[in-house]
DNA sequence: ATAGGTTTTGTCAAGCTTTTGTACAT
DNA sequence: ATGTACAAAAGCTTGACAAAACCTAT
């Protein structure tokens, strides 16, 4: 459904965990030794046996390191984040639980309930955490459930509308920053801008100044705005590859004049390289953090 | 007042002032010595530090010299002429003035200024008045200026994005009402929903409970939602007639089961009558009032 | 009471901060040494660890230098002007943190700061959450601190005044609803109506139509209004039991004609039962929700 | 306008420590 | 698997430097 439910997951050994997370076994052992990130149970023969919680922790630690944190900091938060979301009684439960409840509320057209969940998420977690662990997972889940025919278009529209409105509220005055300038837009044909807004909110929190042109913006217009506003980065987001391909030439031209980032599932390294741009395949929050001045 | 507010413009040294005004540092020092045109504060090490007032004085002195005045005369006038210059931008004013300022801010991509205008409008006027006399007029003006080629698509997108976000903020939790239920949607092909949102905000202000499906929603989906949510009214908004014509049959079917209102410039009495719906040609606020009493 | 809570964004080392801001580590260290721009915490081994606030400050300083300011000036403003480019839209932290900041601002008679906190709370959260998790907790804390002699009467009055004004601003037009009607009043002798207003705001948010008679209203007057307005509920709020007891007979008469709710700490089940009314001992938001569905 | 001295500020170097992924021997 | 070791990368501090910008006085 909206998040992993606690089912009977088999324990895995260090090799498998390494394969799943992309972290070498040596490093995993080092993280266990140095930061007590993991506390695996053992097989009769002494092999380490890891559960899903361990995998989550490794993933979260890796994500933070990728976004520039030091290993020790990442470990501290990966561990603390567990405890905070889990045992210690947060009123709303873990982030995953809140995501579940949010998704359910949206599916039954219950805006007040959805807002309640978001309120409690925002009172417990940071904006970034809410975006990353609640809003975006629900967005993805709803998209998938719609594709699978499990929910109607109306439900999908309703849900998107509610989430978009809340994200835009968080974006208030993101044009007031003193830092580097970013222009945000979706190319023509692309209407889904939730991820883009999320990205902008995180950047704003880091001191960036955001100019938001929104969905379905012609590249030529982005270029014109760029020549006027002199941004440190232009971000183009698309869920599918088509809109980016269609305007490839224009994007390439734009990228020759300023730094262009391609975001969303429509972006990949090959395409980005071809257009002289950069791809941001990770989630918006990590991408925002990685982005330098 | 109660506390000294910190300056918000940094003081600049003589080189920067020279660069900004086009007057050599030597001359600036001479003007200070001879005419006491400037009385800069000093850094710990003794560097001159100028504020914005100094810059204005130099500019004005330079302008007078360029137009033929003697240096001493120009200095006398530049010093005396202080205080004449405009008082700080008055935040209030009539609704029309606020609309002007809002439009100007949006055209120059100045989100914070736009939000300031909206903030002060919302503290002075009611929500309905702000919508009717500020937001919607600005929306229309921007649309016209775009059609006339006076502003770019980027400006139009930026402006729409800011206004939409503010309207959606006013709409927060509009699904929590205890009054009659309304479903709001734009038909397929119609992407402009600002007027629709405005209409919803006014309805919500009258206690209605709003289900918002947003732009580009298939009529069949609206019908499905209607059969589930049993609304007192379904509102379909479109800027042009086409989207409504295209789905005429479906709309007619929908209208046989519940009250359907057609809004926006795409709606007219003839069309509405043909589809068994009602047309709301007037502005959203008036329409909402007529509907909701 | 007004304490700080831990962060949860990863701290970064100087290299990462440098990458994000485009300022070399050497320069960052120089800015720290010379202007105390940054005061990073340290790792066990002595590495500097920076948070998001540091990043904002560096961005802001860099922007000022780029626009011609001297480094020392830029640093001065980046430090002092934390609020100018920063708080302007940077919604701060969790609800508890906002409550802390609000309480602190009110105690030092800093109305602008208090309003800033409320502004950012209202953009982040829904009205209900702000009332429940920010305004009312602060109100209670201030009441207790006043009883304990920790703050003066003047401080308490000032704080109540600011909060009341904001609540009343939220209450604007609360008589326009289309839903059920509620009459709100405090009995004679009761002057504290903040909780009552909060209750009304939440009810209005759910679509109710509010008639607000305010503090110190004779019950006979409430009854007369009720006979004219036919409310779905009459709410009487009092902080102590006395005012309700004193007019017990009249309240009982009123309750025989319509639904009467007793709110505030002066209400309890025994009293309510005796008068034929209902007690709402829980917080206003919960009570409103229970009432209004 | 020139000259001669001062301030400001980014950068660099040297020598040493911390952090962290990986390698190796048992 | 464990424990130890290693080495590259990144950081720290102190001190100094030099170019640019600024000062005063002649």
């Amino acid at each position: 459904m909206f998040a992993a439910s606690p089912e009977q997951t088999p324990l895995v050994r260090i090799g498998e965990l390494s394969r799943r997370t992309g972290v070498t076994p040596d490093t995993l052992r080092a993280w266990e030794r140095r930061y007590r990130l993991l506390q695996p149970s053992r097989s009769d023969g002494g092999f380490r046996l890891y559960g899903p919680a361990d995998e989550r922790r490794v993933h979260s630690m890796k994500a933070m390191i990728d976004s520039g944190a030091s290993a020790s900091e990442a470990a501290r938060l990966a561990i603390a984040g567990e405890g905070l979301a889990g045992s210690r009684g947060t009123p709303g439960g873990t982030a995953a639980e809140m995501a579940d409840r949010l998704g359910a509320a949206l599916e039954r057209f219950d805006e007040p309930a959805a807002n309640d969940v978001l309120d409690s998420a925002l009172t417990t977690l940071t904006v970034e955490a809410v975006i990353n662990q609640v809003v975006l997972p629900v967005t993805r889940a709803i998209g998938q459930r719609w594709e699978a025919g499990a929910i109607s278009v109306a439900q999908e529209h309703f849900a998107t509308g509610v989430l978009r409105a809340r994200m835009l509220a968080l974006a208030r005055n993101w044009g007031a920053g003193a830092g580097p300038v970013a222009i945000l837009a979706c190319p023509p044909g692309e209407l889904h801008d939730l991820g883009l807004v999320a990205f902008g909110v995180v950047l704003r929190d880091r001191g960036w100044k955001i100019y938001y042109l929104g969905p379905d913006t012609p590249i030529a217009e982005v270029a014109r705005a760029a020549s006027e506003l002199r941004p440190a980065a232009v971000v183009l987001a698309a869920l599918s590859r088509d809109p980016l391909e269609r305007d490839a030439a224009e994007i390439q031209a734009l990228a020759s004049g300023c730094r262009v980032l391609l975001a969303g599932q429509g972006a990949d390294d090959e395409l980005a390289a071809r257009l002289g741009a950069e791809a941001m395949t990770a989630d918006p929050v990590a991408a925002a953090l990685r982005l330098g001045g």
Side-chain angles (χ1 to χ4, degrees), chain A residues 59-69 126-133 136-137 140 195-203 205-206 208 235 259 261-264 278-292:
Chain A
H59 265 131
S60 129
M61 170 142 179
K62 188 163 187 291
M64 283 190 262
I65 288 181
D66 284 349
S67 71
T126 62
V127 170
E128 282 169 25
V130 172
I131 288 177
N132 226 10
Q133 297 170 35
L136 292 180
R140 269 180 238 118
L196 189 63
V197 175
F199 180 73
V201 169
V202 177
L203 269 191
D205 275 354
R206 290 303 203 266
W208 285 59
V235 183
R259 188 175 181 195
L261 305 168
L262 304 184
E278 300 165 49
M280 304 192 306
T281 44
D283 65 279
V285 174
L289 298 187
R290 193 141 24 90
L291 193 58

Side-chain angles (χ1 to χ4, degrees), chain A residues 23-37:
Chain A
V23 178
T24 67
D26 272 323
T27 305
L28 286 173
R29 277 189 283 261
W31 285 357
E32 173 182 336
R33 182 168 19 98
R34 292 186 180 136
Y35 315 116
R36 311 205 180 293
L37 180 74

Side-chain angles (χ1 to χ4, degrees), chain A residues 4 11 33 37 56 65 85 119-120 128 146 151 165 175 200-201 209 213 225-226 235 251 260 265 268:
Chain A
L11 302 179
R33 182 168 19 98
L37 180 74
R56 271 199 305 275
I65 288 181
D119 279 338
S120 71
E128 282 169 25
W146 169 71
I151 61 173
V201 169
K209 180 186 187 79
L213 302 184
V235 183
I251 295 176
V260 172
Q265 292 162 345
D268 58 60

Side-chain angles (χ1 to χ4, degrees), chain A residues 85 89 274:
Chain A
R274 185 146 50 82

Side-chain angles (χ1 to χ4, degrees), chain A residues 97 127 140 182 194 207 216 226 267 277:
Chain A
E97 286 165 7
V127 170
R140 269 180 238 118
L194 230 161
D216 202 26

